[in-house]
């Protein structure tokens, strides 16, 4: 059985999710010719990298990996075949870096001769993506955005149902990640100083037969942070409870109350 050795760039939450899954017994996924092993973890803070190794590699996977205090050391490691870049934006924690660094990390890995699995969004614009694809082809290396939902059994089943035509001709597609992404994070960011959003906008589409809103969306701009919160809600399906903290008040709006919330702001 072939063993693929992974180096992890970024010791954050998303990387821990990846590591927990990648070290699972491949037989559980009906895979019998390859297994995965995490051999290196890199962070700008070597103590954070070591903590990650202790918690998610040694403890969870019963394996061994070396902690590095830089990404360059990871891509230079001889016992690393592929690199997972799992860094993501979290404004409230300065130790994490934004999606704009995905490109630089991927270039670093390719130049180090490593295959790359890059957390979404892979890049912030099409030009960067084209550049990475060209570099991967030049180096003859594997490159993929970590769009894991593509490989879920339910995704395959849905595609089969649509292709079969048993539901008729496809007219509308709506996809919802259905996660609570802590909208209060921007408000509580120390740089915000509990300031209200610089702008608030929203829209609603009503159901003709009942007059009830079938979808509502609102956008909160924090111009001084160069950040924005966008949140849609849909009455036709489950949507997580929205929690928005503004001006020291907490709101728990259901989908049909979203516009009332916007009026209060």
């Amino acid at each position: 059985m072939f063993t693929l050795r992974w180096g992890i760039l970024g010791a954050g939450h998303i990387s821990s999710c990846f590591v927990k899954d990648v070290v699972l017994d491949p037989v559980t996924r009906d895979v019998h010719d390859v297994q995965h092993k995490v051999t290196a973890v890199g962070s700008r803070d070597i103590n954070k990298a070591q903590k990650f190794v202790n918690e998610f590699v040694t403890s969870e996977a019963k394996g061994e990996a070396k902690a590095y205090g830089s990404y360059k050391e990871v891509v230079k490691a001889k016992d690393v075949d592929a690199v997972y870049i799992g860094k993501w934006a979290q404004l409230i924690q300065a130790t994490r870096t934004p999606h704009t660094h995905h490109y630089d990390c991927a270039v670093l890995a390719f130049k180090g001769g490593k295959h790359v699995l890059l957390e979404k969004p892979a890049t912030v614009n099409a030009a960067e993506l084209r550049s990475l694809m060209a570099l991967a082809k030049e180096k003859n290396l594997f490159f993929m955005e970590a769009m894991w939902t593509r490989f879920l059994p339910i995704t395959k089943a849905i595609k089969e149902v649509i292709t079969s035509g048993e539901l008729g001709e496809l007219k509308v597609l709506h996809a919802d990640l259905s996660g609570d992404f802590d909208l209060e994070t921007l408000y509580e960011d120390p740089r915000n100083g509990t300031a209200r959003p610089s702008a608030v906008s929203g829209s609603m589409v009503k159901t003709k037969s009942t007059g009830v809103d079938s979808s509502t969306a609102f956008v909160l701009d924090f111009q001084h942070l160069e950040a924005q919160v966008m949140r849609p809600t849909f009455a036709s399906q489950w949507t997580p409870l929205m929690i928005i903290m503004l001006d020291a008040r907490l709101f728990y709006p259901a989908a049909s109350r979203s516009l009332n919330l916007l009026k209060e702001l």
Side-chain angles (χ1 to χ4, degrees):
M1 178 180 287
F2 175 74
T3 299
L4 183 61
R5 301 169 300 178
W6 287 93
I8 308 299
L9 297 191
H13 171 69
I14 297 299
S15 292
S16 71
C17 294
F18 171 77
V19 168
K20 287 179 181 179
D21 286 342
V22 80
V23 297
L24 291 175
D25 187 345
V27 175
T28 61
R29 300 187 292 273
D30 196 27
V31 174
H32 304 276
D33 57 350
V34 62
Q35 61 184 358
H36 301 269
K37 180 180 180 181
V38 177
T39 56
V41 176
S43 171
R44 289 170 295 172
D45 181 348
I46 192 170
N47 294 321
K48 185 177 180 182
Q50 187 60 59
K51 181 180 178 181
F52 185 97
V53 169
N54 295 341
E55 183 174 355
F56 301 109
V57 181
T58 305
S59 178
E60 291 275 350
K62 309 300 180 184
E64 297 181 5
K66 185 172 181 179
Y68 293 95
S70 73
Y71 303 135
K72 288 184 179 180
E73 291 177 287
V74 174
V75 301
K76 288 182 179 180
K78 295 183 179 180
D79 60 347
V80 170
D81 303 308
V83 166
Y84 169 78
I85 301 173
K87 308 193 315 167
W88 62 305
Q90 182 75 327
L91 289 173
I92 207 151
Q93 295 190 25
T95 56
R96 293 177 182 170
T97 51
H99 300 135
T100 50
H101 286 242
H102 283 188
Y103 176 81
D104 293 334
C105 288
V107 169
L108 183 69
F110 285 138
K111 289 184 176 180
K114 309 302 182 186
H115 304 289
V116 173
L117 179 61
L118 183 54
E119 191 52 64
K120 53 192 179 296
T123 60
V124 295
N125 57 59
E128 286 186 348
L129 183 58
R130 285 192 292 267
S131 175
L132 290 182
M133 293 172 65
L135 185 56
K137 291 180 179 179
E138 176 189 329
K139 301 288 185 179
N140 194 29
L141 294 167
F142 177 83
F143 171 47
M144 188 178 77
E145 184 179 45
M147 187 59 68
W148 53 269
T149 48
R150 181 175 182 177
F151 302 95
L152 292 178
I154 192 172
T155 301
K156 180 180 179 181
I158 290 173
K159 290 176 66 176
E160 290 175 349
V161 170
I162 293 174
T163 303
S164 71
E166 61 183 279
L167 295 181
E169 185 179 352
L170 183 64
K171 296 293 186 181
V172 177
L173 171 65
H174 168 69
D176 187 351
L177 189 54
S178 296
D180 184 353
F181 294 102
D182 298 328
L183 300 189
E184 68 270 24
T185 297
L186 285 177
Y187 177 81
E188 295 176 346
D189 188 316
R191 297 176 301 154
N192 185 46
T194 68
R196 294 164 64 90
S198 53
V200 178
S201 59
S203 63
M204 174 190 288
V205 175
K206 293 187 176 182
T207 305
K208 290 183 178 180
S209 58
T210 63
V212 177
D213 54 309
S214 61
S215 65
T216 301
F218 61 85
V219 178
L220 308 178
D221 292 340
F222 291 81
Q223 189 62 44
H224 48 292
L225 298 180
E226 297 184 349
Q228 188 178 66
V229 172
M230 295 175 284
R231 189 57 178 266
T233 63
F234 302 89
S236 60
Q237 65 183 72
W238 178 84
T239 303
L241 181 66
M242 294 181 295
I243 302 176
I244 306 172
M245 188 173 183
L246 295 170
D247 199 19
R249 293 174 295 170
L250 273 174
F251 298 96
Y252 300 86
S256 59
R257 293 174 52 206
S258 295
L259 285 190
N260 289 332
L261 168 66
L262 294 174
K263 291 177 181 178
E264 291 186 40
L265 297 175

